[in-house]
Amino acid sequence: MDDTRVIEIKKSVFADNDKDAALLRRELKERGVFLLNLMSSPGSGKTTTLIRTINLLKDKMNIAVMEADIDSDVDAVKIKEGTGIQSIQLHTGGMCHLDAEMTRQGLDNLELGGTDLVILENVGNLVCPAEFDTGSSANAMILSVPEGHDKPLKYPLMFSVCDLVLVNKIDVMPYFDFDMDKCEEYVHLRNPKAQIIPICAKTGEGVGKFAQWLEQKVEEQKL
Amino acid sequence: MDDTRVIEIKKSVFADNDKDAALLRRELKERGVFLLNLMSSPGSGKTTTLIRTINLLKDKMNIAVMEADIDSDVDAVKIKEGTGIQSIQLHTGGMCHLDAEMTRQGLDNLELGGTDLVILENVGNLVCPAEFDTGSSANAMILSVPEGHDKPLKYPLMFSVCDLVLVNKIDVMPYFDFDMDKCEEYVHLRNPKAQIIPICAKTGEGVGKFAQWLEQKVEEQKL
């Protein structure tokens, strides 16, 4: 565990985050790096989903992960132990989100040469991360079944900025009052173009579809 | 549903939130009103827990609820339908937390005469609400079993500011890798004084203990 690098992220000095994010997105495209910004509530299963997905993709492409958290390095360690890929921990200094400059600080600590895909696991939070463009090539979020199907009504911005919504923990559907039809209806109310993939990170169900989606996005950006 | 009042909260103009919060706390004590600030991740079961708890307490004291969300009024409607008590919805205008001045704007829209207990259901978020003193008499938070027992490691401030941690959804413990001993260890690492009560809001298990805790706090403040 002692070889996991923890990066202490400094507060951004840039006034115009949207401009900085657009610049970072362009730079990454030129370097052939696809950046996925993955968001969710705390405990929705981001890290477990990533381990499953990376293990399906790591023989096809080079992947690195940045784990953002306020404290601890448990997620970066889990990714490294579970996949063997390059994984660093970003500490946000108490901040509830990452913006483009903070994301850039993380990227500066990765070996990007030959890397096809970088996944940023954002701070667990359905509010603030949605407000700041990280410069990512695409945004995805995980909504887990125990959280309930009404979340798109309460956290509209998060669902409107995401290209993909993964509905995780579908194995426990029988124990929760979760209505998948209503979930889809509410997600599309916020974002008619959002794709929805039901998954179970624990068993692996549906994770192949997410891996396919990701592989296709990485390929498309290289065109 | 059309009689649920929705209050659009304005951004605070006060520079010193801690001072404002201390003032509000003193004012509420003088008026004999106990204010509980209830926080958690999205979907941890705050509203369901409140309905159960209020129904155990409403014949003993006068209770009002303020439901804070970025959008929708589903929670205020649920509380009113589930308990019959005074319930209003606060819209935070996209903001991820409430501070003391925002809380005061909510209280100004309640009939406080004769009210013993006001419960503020904060925005679902484990980061930002912990950073702003609302002027509450006590802070409580809900950690639900599906979120995992490692959350006190990742969201230290939330656990350090709470007098009480409710561990909800214990009925689904068999389906998740949740270690209650580790959970207690991690909570007490952040806050040795925090009380922990395991509950299941769905079945009512343990909710009586939370109601007792709350009743005692309300009584203590009146002494």
Side-chain angles (χ1 to χ4, degrees), chain A residues 1 3-7 47 50-51 54 65-69 71-91 121, chain B residues 154:
Chain A
M1 282 175 65
D3 63 342
T4 298
R5 275 194 304 150
V6 176
I7 318 299
T47 313
L50 286 187
I51 291 173
I54 291 162
V65 167
M66 302 192 291
E67 291 286 336
D69 265 310
D71 206 349
S72 95
D73 66 351
V74 291
D75 287 345
V77 172
K78 269 191 211 164
I79 293 282
K80 198 169 281 175
E81 290 179 350
T83 68
I85 69 157
Q86 191 183 178
S87 160
I88 60 173
Q89 184 78 44
L90 311 182
H91 278 178
E121 188 183 317
Chain B
K154 295 184 181 178

Side-chain angles (χ1 to χ4, degrees), chain A residues 41-43 70-72 74-75 94 96 124-128 131 146-147 151 153-155 169 172 175-176 202, chain B residues 41-43 70-72 74-75 94 96 124-128 131 146-147 151 153-155 169 172 175 190 202:
Chain A
S41 293
I70 290 171
D71 206 349
S72 95
V74 291
D75 287 345
C96 49
N125 182 333
L126 287 191
V127 186
C128 319
E131 294 168 16
E147 294 169 59
K151 291 300 157 291
L153 300 181
K154 295 184 179 177
Y155 304 91
K169 306 189 187 180
V172 295
Y175 313 110
F176 291 93
K202 203 175 178 181
Chain B
S41 292
I70 290 172
D71 206 348
S72 95
V74 291
D75 287 344
C96 50
N125 183 332
L126 286 192
V127 187
C128 321
E131 293 168 16
E147 294 170 59
K151 291 300 156 292
L153 300 180
K154 295 184 181 178
Y155 303 92
K169 307 190 187 179
V172 296
Y175 313 109
R190 297 311 184 189
K202 202 174 179 182

Side-chain angles (χ1 to χ4, degrees), chain B residues 13-106:
Chain B
V13 292
F14 285 89
D16 190 342
N17 183 61
D18 285 345
K19 208 169 163 183
D20 193 35
L23 179 67
L24 177 58
R25 190 155 31 242
R26 204 162 55 237
E27 286 170 8
L28 287 171
K29 189 170 159 58
E30 283 165 8
R31 296 178 75 174
V33 177
F34 187 92
L35 174 64
L36 180 75
N37 174 28
L38 182 63
M39 299 174 282
S40 81
S41 292
S44 67
K46 289 189 291 300
T47 312
T48 311
T49 301
L50 286 186
I51 290 172
R52 284 266 181 199
T53 310
I54 290 163
N55 282 327
L56 290 177
L57 289 174
K58 69 182 180 184
D59 294 336
K60 298 179 181 178
M61 59 177 80
N62 286 318
I63 310 173
V65 167
M66 302 192 292
E67 291 286 336
D69 266 310
I70 290 172
D71 206 348
S72 95
D73 65 351
V74 291
D75 287 344
V77 171
K78 270 191 210 164
I79 293 283
K80 197 170 281 176
E81 290 179 351
T83 67
I85 69 157
Q86 191 183 178
S87 162
I88 59 174
Q89 185 79 43
L90 311 182
H91 278 179
T92 62
M95 272 179 291
C96 50
H97 66 275
L98 291 180
D99 61 16
E101 168 56 19
M102 294 160 83
T103 303
R104 194 191 293 274
Q105 290 176 45

